[in-house]
Amino acid sequence: MKFDVLTLFPEIFDAVLGESIIGRARKNNIIEINTINIRDFSSNKHRKVDDYPYGGGGGMVMMAQPIYDAYLSVVEKLSYKPRVIYLSPQGRVLNQEVVKELSKEQHLILLCGHYEGIDERIIEEIVDDEISIGDYVLTGGELPAMVLIDSVSRLIPGVLSNEESYSQESHYEGLLEYPQYTRPYEFCERKVPDILMSGHHENINRWRRQQSLKRTYLKRPDLFHKLTLDEADKKLLEEALKETEE
């Protein structure tokens, strides 16, 4: 999996994506992350990449030429067109289904905007998809790009130690993750649930499924109402909610 990021601030990517799981995957050549500084392609001697918007208004707009030339530097030697994503508050919201979709790509180009946005003609010319990480305003597209890279990379074979590491995480199947515990057995007078100490794997898996259903129902009803539950899951949830009421 290859990511090429068109950005005004390339240095911040290595600081975040050079550590932990993602950093290890890069060192093992499982994923490749390249940053391209848009300023390097400015035709202005002062490396200017923005200008006042036509029609007036506050703020500045990133110019088309530096972005386009930065894009060409990535694709000019390729025999295919990578999928180009513009990180934008106007895009579809990133969720686990979108992450799964993007993980099937071999090459993504991520475009990070700044100021009041980018010249619309760039979106029309090269962008295949616009993606937002939420309904709030950020100063630029770098943080959304890193969120996208991190979430997508986790689904690339070999990045995590085994499939179970992500297939049972929150949101992977539309459910929140079950509670997790580690040593010590007792902390602040709270003990680990007895079921987890039983060694009975079938019962443990049943309990975990039940807790995932309960958590999703109580904490994220918006997610829960998108689920299609079979009779077994309905019974598990009913039992869990009854215990809560008691």
Side-chain angles (χ1 to χ4, degrees), residues 27 30 32 45 57 73 83 100-101 104 165 170 172 176 180 194 207 210 213 217 224 237 240 243:
K27 291 176 182 176
I30 299 171
E32 179 182 345
K45 66 179 181 179
S73 75
R83 185 168 178 177
K100 291 179 187 177
E101 172 193 325
K104 298 175 183 177
S165 296
S170 290
Y172 186 77
L176 300 184
Q180 298 276 18
D194 290 339
W207 179 86
Q210 185 177 56
L213 290 164
Y217 178 84
F224 181 82
L237 179 60
E243 290 176 2

Side-chain angles (χ1 to χ4, degrees), residues 79-111:
S79 60
Y80 61 92
K81 183 188 184 299
R83 185 168 178 177
V84 180
I85 296 173
Y86 174 41
L87 286 307
S88 162
Q90 298 184 31
R92 55 181 177 144
V93 176
L94 185 69
N95 58 31
Q96 194 63 23
E97 288 305 310
V98 176
V99 169
K100 291 179 187 177
E101 172 193 325
L102 297 179
S103 71
K104 298 175 183 177
E105 300 284 341
Q106 295 297 314
H107 188 177
L108 295 175
I109 296 179
L110 308 182
L111 172 56

Side-chain angles (χ1 to χ4, degrees), residues 223-236:
L223 291 178
F224 181 82
H225 291 306
K226 297 178 182 179
L227 299 172
T228 301
L229 303 184
D230 59 21
E231 291 304 315
D233 279 342
K234 290 178 182 178
K235 184 176 180 180
L236 284 175

Side-chain angles (χ1 to χ4, degrees), residues 166-186:
Y166 65 75
S167 64
Q168 295 184 10
E169 290 177 332
S170 290
H171 301 290
Y172 186 77
E173 291 183 325
L175 289 170
L176 300 184
E177 191 176 14
Y178 49 78
Q180 298 276 18
Y181 299 87
T182 188
R183 292 177 178 82
Y185 169 69
E186 185 173 342

